[in-house]
Amino acid sequence: MTLLYIVLATFAGGLLSVLVAASLTVGVLTRLVKSLVSLSAGILLGTSLLNVLPEAFESHTAEPQTLFAVLLGGLLFFWLLEKVELYRHVHHHEGDGHHHHHHFDAEQAGRGGLSVLVGDSIHNFCDGAIIAAAFLADTKLGVATALAIVAHEIPQEVGDYIVLLNAGFSRAKALMFNALSGMAAVLGGVLGWLLIGQFDLALPYLLVLASSSFIYVSVSDLLPQLQQRLAIRETIAQVAWLAVGLALSLGVSTLLHGSHAH
């Protein structure tokens, strides 16, 4: 049953974002990404710090100092992955208000879109493994983690889609690329279930590693995008979306800990 949950959650994450990208115009998508970046920053930070990390520390099978060392190692690992361009979270594109030069998206897409496809596939594969670890720890934690990843994947895939369109791809080809990379999450989830299920004692460490991914993406990519000087109305909207994301995570946290109490 856990495997079914994992497959459904990873498939939804991969497919939902692609369908959103397919159904809207580039202008609407660009506006949508700005709101979703704030929302996903709140959800990722809230989920990692209020749900996933507490679950790992409550296991009592691992020393807190060791778990913090894993958290630090995870942050540095994802930083290195991004440095060698194997862990992308693309929300930047021409026309997003960041004053990118002409042909910026063509450079982002890389040769034949390979850069987007490889980087995004690795990112999605990691997300799939994270979802598997969360479901193996607790079904409700799995649902919370999957929702956090879906919330982040929508602006991620929309960003990729816009980059590919602006780089000269047809809508069909851009969607095909996104769908292919999205399916890497299902592969990561199934492999995660097969491997992690054999090592129960490793679960707290894997949950901390999952948290380090969420925290890294939030702090290195999402929050800096929200640092732009904006009109007061846009700033209020950003803070509101961020607060909604945190509130959703807090709600899930209350549900999770309520279920543990019974």
Side-chain angles (χ1 to χ4, degrees):
M1 199 64 192
T2 305
L3 177 61
L4 180 65
Y5 288 146
I6 291 167
V7 170
L8 286 174
T10 51
F11 191 76
L15 197 65
L16 194 64
S17 49
V18 173
L19 289 175
V20 169
S23 61
L24 302 169
T25 66
V26 172
V28 172
L29 289 174
T30 301
R31 289 196 298 278
L32 186 69
V33 166
K34 288 180 180 177
S35 301
L36 285 174
V37 164
S38 302
L39 178 69
S40 63
I43 290 177
L44 287 182
L45 282 174
T47 301
S48 57
L49 297 170
L50 301 175
N51 300 334
V52 183
L53 278 178
E55 183 78 18
F57 278 88
E58 283 167 13
S59 66
H60 305 302
T61 58
E63 289 293 318
Q65 194 171 0
T66 311
L67 292 176
F68 275 114
V70 172
L71 181 64
L72 174 62
L75 291 170
L76 293 173
F77 171 70
F78 288 112
W79 170 71
L80 281 170
L81 267 189
E82 188 173 30
K83 202 167 178 63
V84 294
E85 295 188 356
L86 288 178
Y87 194 69
R88 294 163 59 92
H89 16 97
V90 176
H91 310 109
H92 298 284
H93 49 83
E94 290 171 37
D96 65 0
H98 285 84
H99 310 297
H100 299 302
H101 61 272
H102 194 48
H103 300 312
F104 171 81
D105 285 345
E107 289 166 17
Q108 285 279 297
R111 194 169 179 178
L114 193 64
S115 178
V116 165
L117 186 62
V118 171
D120 205 23
S121 296
I122 291 171
H123 188 123
N124 289 333
F125 182 86
C126 292
D127 284 347
I130 287 168
I131 287 172
F135 269 109
L136 286 165
D138 182 284
T139 303
K140 286 185 178 177
L141 184 69
V143 171
T145 305
L147 288 173
I149 284 174
V150 167
H152 174 56
E153 273 306 302
I154 291 173
Q156 160 77 23
E157 296 293 348
V158 167
D160 280 339
Y161 180 66
I162 295 170
V163 164
L164 291 173
L165 285 183
N166 287 339
F169 284 69
S170 66
R171 286 181 82 96
K173 195 175 177 187
L175 285 172
M176 183 190 73
F177 269 60
N178 269 7
L180 277 173
S181 69
M183 289 307 98
V186 180
L187 182 64
V190 172
L191 281 177
W193 177 78
L194 284 170
L195 298 172
I196 299 163
Q198 314 299 317
F199 308 101
D200 281 353
L201 289 175
L203 259 182
Y205 304 102
L206 291 166
L207 290 176
V208 170
L209 203 58
S211 292
S212 70
S213 163
F214 286 3
I215 293 166
Y216 178 76
V217 169
S218 304
V219 174
S220 79
D221 182 57
L222 302 179
L223 291 178
Q225 286 189 57
L226 306 180
Q227 292 289 66
Q228 280 180 290
R229 287 192 178 278
L230 296 170
I232 189 74
R233 187 178 167 185
E234 288 177 294
T235 303
I236 290 168
Q238 273 187 350
V239 173
W241 280 111
L242 192 74
V244 168
L246 287 170
L248 286 171
S249 305
L250 196 58
V252 171
S253 173
T254 307
L255 279 173
L256 263 176
H257 288 85
S259 71
H260 287 330
H262 296 304

